[in-house]
Amino acid sequence: MTMYILIIVWSIINKSFCSYKVNTKTQRFCRNEYNLTGLCNRSACPLANSQYATVREEDGNCFLYMKTVERSGFPRNMWEKVKLSKSLEKALRQINEYLIYWPGFIKQKCKQRLLKISQYLIRMRKLRLRRQKKLVPIQRKQERRERRREEKALVAARLDSAIEKELLERLKRGTYGDIYNFPQVAFNKALEEEEDAEVNMEGEDYGEDEENEGEEAEEEIDEELEKELEEESENEEIEYVEADSDLERELESESDMEDIEPKATTSVKDNTRRKPRLEIEYETETLSKNAKRTV
Amino acid sequence: MENEENAENGEVLVKPPTLSASDRLAAKKRFRTQRRLSTMKNKVLRNAQWATLKKEKRKVKKEGQKQRKKEAEALGDKAPPKQIPRTIENTREADITTVDHDDEEVTFDITHDEYESYFSKTYVPKILITSSDNPHSKTIHFIRELTKIFPSSECQWRKRSSVKKMIQSAKEKNYTDVVVINEDRRVPNGMLVSHLPDGPTAYFKISNVKLTKDMKYKNIIKEFTTHRPEVILNNFQTRLGQAVSRMLASLFHYDPQFKGRRAVTFHNQRDYIFFRHHRYEFKSQKRAALRELGPRFTLRLKWLQKGTFDTIEGDYEWIIAGKRHEMETSRRRFFL
């Protein structure tokens, strides 16, 4: 009797409609959760076979589901669920034990399925131990906004001029020490100013004279004096700048400051006499204690 | 009177002068046409109307400018100060954590953080640069260029080790900083900087990477020298900004070789840190010429952590990942 039912069931399912059937170009799949192979076949259809078994996995445990003829009238209790052992060997033996006298196809497929499941469980456990790449979803609007704002910030930044300004400021502050001999510009300017104005011993001119004196290296001045004069020139630059660098403070020694005054008085007259035939030699080597500068 | 006060500050925005009756009428008309625009369904006509409206606005603006210029010239010295345009930097929301260099407490706090030993020149930084697994060519080139930029840096390929383990082994080998470049879609997109003896860790998002070989001048790679560069840190205003700038500065040698004339810049603008690498030359005391070498990229801080890398249990000083609605409350609010 049941045989006829199954034949009818299969003819309907196969030919016309089965809600679990999925048709593709080359294959027919069965979406039924108890299906052993996943394909739509006469031998693999759980609806068209009264005696059927599957292996399914839940939370890392494998279960053997069995369906027999006796229970075909009770859909609620149709599937018998048996928990298989976690070790593959024991589980295979359990399958053999439960499915003894069952058709070979079902036994074979159940064992194959158990094998596959246990393999992927092992791989999942290994992956969990390793570091996994965290996939962060891209928020399109955020990305777009950020890109646009970056462009605008770049325009507002005016990088080249900002960098140039900073470098020039550092030059003025004297972080570069003696590497650049720029005070010549100020020196020339000071010369011109002296030509126009009378020789005054006011504060500003005093400072300029000291600078002039710093750059000059005439025959009469010894090397030692030259060095001290160069130190002075650095110090002059420092005097005009505000509280910034602690370094220059360290390097400024009081002895240098003392030396400036007496020399200044003599130099003024010398400058006015020497102006027409002025030769400027620059000392290129730096002193040891000026060599170290931080950023 | 108002103008005199403003002349002293120079920074205060000057209110535009009041409009005459005819001006007000014209403004009303413009407003009405603008409102009407939104109801026009025909795109072509709408665009045309918008174009004419814009023209009119521009005309009015230019006339106003001319007028003001004339008045300023006429008055000469007594002219009102120039109106300062409103910029985002001008109207930035005031941040309580802005660093005031005169405040001793604040400067003390800043200078006595984990980077104190660097700034007191007790050690030379030694950097380990890696990437994520399987880096592609762009990332590889980028890392190679970074090794040329950071003095005393070494590159090692990541052989599927976790960041924590890498930090451990780097500590044993006496590295002072670890930099990990993350890659996505064959392009470097993230940079993790970790200061080693329990230092802070920061993660930046990298964008707009331009390598040396893509620069304007050909063969600029030949101009790279091994002189230690000097570091320029611009516009880091808040405490967070100071922390980040110190972190970036400590990747370089504390003693730059000025003879090499190399400058590396980290410029912060509206929370985007622009990295540039230049060779400079002083043409005079008022001008310096810059030639850009090296890669350029922009960084954007994603989070800053107190200890070494520990995303789960770490102590985050600043993070923006899940808190955009709380933190990005206004377009004028910046954190660095």
Side-chain angles (χ1 to χ4, degrees):
Chain A
M1 187 56 187
T2 45
M3 280 305 297
Y4 293 129
I5 293 177
L6 293 174
I7 292 170
I8 293 169
V9 162
W10 178 244
S11 61
I12 295 174
I13 286 176
N14 189 22
K15 297 287 166 58
S16 65
F17 181 75
C18 169
S19 63
Y20 298 108
K21 189 163 57 168
V22 172
N23 244 320
T24 42
K25 274 191 198 156
T26 49
Q27 270 277 24
R28 277 195 324 196
F29 291 102
C30 182
R31 279 193 311 130
N32 194 321
E33 36 188 31
Y34 290 103
N35 190 311
L36 199 49
T37 53
L39 309 172
C40 188
N41 291 324
R42 178 70 176 86
S43 47
C45 186
L47 305 173
N49 291 328
S50 51
Q51 201 184 37
Y52 201 75
T54 338
V55 176
R56 257 167 60 184
E57 175 258 329
E58 199 180 322
D59 276 347
N61 296 317
C62 300
F63 295 97
L64 174 68
Y65 289 84
M66 288 180 290
K67 166 180 157 180
T68 47
V69 197
E70 289 89 39
R71 294 197 301 274
S72 56
F74 311 104
R76 207 140 60 101
N77 309 328
M78 210 157 55
W79 291 96
E80 183 189 341
K81 183 173 172 179
V82 173
K83 184 169 175 181
L84 295 172
S85 139
K86 290 231 169 147
S87 85
L88 190 61
E89 272 186 41
K90 282 204 191 140
L92 286 171
R93 260 183 269 140
Q94 274 175 315
I95 288 184
N96 277 333
E97 180 195 320
Y98 279 99
L99 300 184
I100 195 168
Y101 309 132
W102 279 53
F105 175 78
I106 291 183
K107 266 201 291 217
Q108 180 73 345
K109 290 299 175 190
C110 276
K111 287 186 203 163
Q112 278 182 345
R113 208 178 154 92
L114 175 69
L115 196 64
K116 261 290 180 296
I117 288 174
S118 59
Q119 281 176 348
Y120 82 59
L121 283 176
I122 290 172
R123 206 183 309 147
M124 270 170 69
R125 276 182 236 132
K126 262 198 223 159
L127 278 176
R128 206 62 65 83
L129 291 176
R130 280 192 220 160
R131 21 179 285 274
Q132 286 162 340
K133 271 198 196 284
K134 186 172 176 195
L135 298 175
V136 175
I138 297 178
Q139 295 171 306
R140 248 187 273 261
K141 279 198 176 172
Q142 298 312 318
E143 292 298 307
R144 231 190 301 157
R145 243 181 253 157
E146 285 191 0
R147 225 176 294 150
R148 186 72 180 128
R149 288 190 186 158
E150 189 188 318
E151 284 168 22
K152 295 202 160 186
L154 184 62
V155 169
R158 290 190 296 155
L159 283 170
D160 287 340
S161 47
I163 297 176
E164 204 182 316
K165 218 169 60 167
E166 175 69 25
L167 289 170
L168 288 170
E169 232 176 275
R170 287 194 184 174
L171 179 69
K172 231 177 38 173
R173 252 185 272 150
T175 38
Y176 300 130
D178 296 335
I179 304 177
Y180 303 106
N181 299 310
F182 279 127
Q184 184 188 9
V185 175
F187 170 49
N188 286 337
K189 271 195 180 165
L191 274 185
E192 289 171 33
E193 280 175 7
E194 269 192 60
E195 281 180 26
D196 300 333
E198 295 171 15
V199 175
N200 275 326
M201 292 298 281
E202 286 176 358
E204 297 166 15
D205 288 330
Y206 191 66
E208 283 167 16
D209 289 344
E210 290 176 33
E211 259 192 308
N212 300 344
E213 170 197 85
E215 273 66 77
E216 278 183 359
E218 290 294 278
E219 313 127 19
E220 285 119 284
I221 305 175
D222 296 327
E223 273 205 8
E224 289 174 18
L225 282 182
E226 273 183 336
K227 285 186 186 173
E228 282 177 90
L229 290 173
E230 280 174 336
E231 276 183 352
E232 285 168 35
S233 66
E234 290 161 31
N235 294 342
E236 262 92 57
E237 287 173 46
I238 296 159
E239 278 174 8
Y240 297 130
V241 173
E242 286 179 345
D244 211 9
S245 19
D246 304 318
L247 284 171
E248 277 87 81
R249 289 270 164 74
E250 288 169 43
L251 295 170
E252 260 183 355
S253 51
E254 288 173 30
S255 58
D256 290 338
M257 295 301 281
E258 286 168 33
D259 285 338
I260 293 171
E261 272 110 54
K263 286 191 197 124
T265 48
T266 52
S267 73
V268 174
K269 290 181 198 167
D270 294 337
N271 276 348
T272 48
R273 261 187 279 141
R274 284 200 207 122
K275 253 179 282 168
R277 42 177 192 88
L278 212 55
E279 273 181 5
I280 303 163
E281 288 173 20
Y282 294 114
E283 186 81 27
T284 49
E285 59 183 17
T286 60
L287 295 177
S288 56
K289 69 174 175 174
N290 293 341
K292 269 201 174 177
R293 300 277 185 164
T294 55
V295 163
Chain B
M1 265 184 20
E2 195 188 79
N3 288 341
E4 283 171 22
E5 286 175 11
N6 292 344
E8 285 177 27
N9 297 357
E11 294 278 316
V12 177
L13 303 176
V14 177
K15 269 195 182 163
T18 48
L19 301 167
S20 66
S22 59
D23 284 345
R24 238 179 290 142
L25 207 63
K28 259 197 195 166
K29 191 173 168 204
R30 279 200 301 277
F31 180 67
R32 261 187 259 129
T33 41
Q34 207 158 357
R35 289 273 301 275
R36 220 189 303 140
L37 272 182
S38 58
T39 55
M40 289 176 80
K41 298 244 176 181
N42 187 331
K43 188 168 180 177
V44 175
L45 289 179
R46 189 172 66 230
N47 283 348
Q49 189 76 305
W50 172 241
T52 49
L53 185 71
K54 272 289 235 181
K55 245 192 190 171
E56 270 183 51
K57 275 193 188 174
R58 216 182 306 148
K59 211 169 96 176
V60 169
K61 189 173 170 191
K62 278 263 162 53
E63 277 178 25
Q65 276 183 355
K66 256 199 230 168
Q67 190 76 332
R68 262 176 276 140
K69 201 169 167 194
K70 251 198 245 171
E71 285 173 13
E73 278 176 15
L75 292 177
D77 282 334
K78 285 185 274 172
K82 256 186 153 180
Q83 290 180 341
I84 302 172
R86 179 191 66 107
T87 61
I88 295 184
E89 282 75 28
N90 275 345
T91 49
R92 172 179 174 163
E93 244 181 51
D95 202 330
I96 29 172
T97 62
T98 310
V99 168
D100 184 11
H101 285 284
D102 298 332
D103 193 342
E104 281 180 8
E105 264 189 46
V106 167
T107 41
F108 182 83
D109 264 344
I110 292 175
T111 49
H112 288 260
D113 66 350
E114 290 99 343
Y115 291 106
E116 189 191 352
S117 51
Y118 168 81
F119 285 101
S120 47
K121 309 182 194 179
T122 48
Y123 72 86
V124 176
K126 191 175 165 199
I127 304 176
L128 173 67
I129 306 184
T130 29
S131 73
S132 48
D133 294 328
N134 270 334
H136 292 93
S137 54
K138 262 209 164 174
T139 318
I140 296 179
H141 287 311
F142 183 59
I143 289 183
R144 284 223 193 100
E145 299 207 359
L146 282 185
T147 47
K148 293 205 183 95
I149 286 188
F150 298 132
S152 62
S153 60
E154 284 161 25
C155 162
Q156 281 189 10
W157 300 119
R158 179 101 160 265
K159 298 192 182 136
R160 317 214 179 264
S161 60
S162 73
V163 181
K164 288 190 194 172
K165 285 195 187 156
M166 201 166 38
I167 286 181
Q168 274 291 336
S169 61
K171 267 194 228 182
E172 284 159 24
K173 296 186 185 163
N174 287 328
Y175 284 100
T176 58
D177 293 275
V178 168
V179 171
V180 181
I181 305 284
N182 188 36
E183 193 196 11
D184 182 43
R185 290 209 189 152
R186 311 184 69 105
V187 140
N189 83 331
M191 175 160 103
L192 178 79
V193 181
S194 187
H195 185 63
L196 274 189
D198 317 315
T201 312
Y203 183 73
F204 300 93
K205 174 177 119 153
I206 300 181
S207 47
N208 280 346
V209 174
K210 201 168 179 192
L211 302 174
T212 314
K213 60 189 178 84
D214 300 326
M215 288 280 158
K216 265 190 278 178
Y217 305 104
K218 279 191 181 174
N219 289 331
I220 198 124
I221 196 85
K222 296 189 178 159
E223 292 212 18
F224 267 61
T225 55
T226 47
H227 290 117
R228 301 192 288 263
E230 57 177 289
V231 181
I232 298 178
L233 304 158
N234 271 345
N235 209 7
F236 287 94
Q237 289 174 16
T238 62
R239 286 292 289 271
L240 180 68
Q242 287 287 327
V244 167
S245 68
R246 279 168 79 85
M247 173 178 246
L248 293 170
S250 74
L251 297 172
F252 294 86
H253 198 283
Y254 56 77
D255 193 14
Q257 292 171 307
F258 295 114
K259 248 179 90 177
R261 288 186 284 130
R262 266 174 96 188
V264 157
T265 314
F266 291 96
H267 180 107
N268 170 43
Q269 189 82 17
R270 305 182 192 171
D271 283 354
Y272 291 96
I273 303 176
F274 297 103
F275 171 90
R276 296 291 185 270
H277 177 216
H278 291 277
R279 160 147 290 130
Y280 62 86
E281 193 183 324
F282 286 111
K283 297 287 181 196
S284 74
Q285 216 167 21
K286 299 273 169 83
R287 275 197 55 232
L290 298 172
R291 175 173 261 231
E292 185 164 2
L293 332 164
R296 56 156 82 164
F297 51 91
T298 38
L299 300 171
R300 195 177 153 89
L301 180 68
K302 285 284 163 192
W303 49 257
L304 177 68
Q305 222 181 22
K306 264 265 130 161
T308 53
F309 181 78
D310 192 338
T311 35
I312 307 169
E313 293 165 24
D315 188 14
Y316 285 97
E317 248 191 70
W318 188 85
I319 183 168
I320 196 150
K323 307 207 182 126
R324 254 186 357 97
H325 286 290
E326 300 162 17
M327 306 245 263
E328 292 183 8
T329 48
S330 102
R331 287 185 184 214
R332 300 288 183 265
R333 184 172 184 198
F334 304 112
F335 303 104
L336 291 184

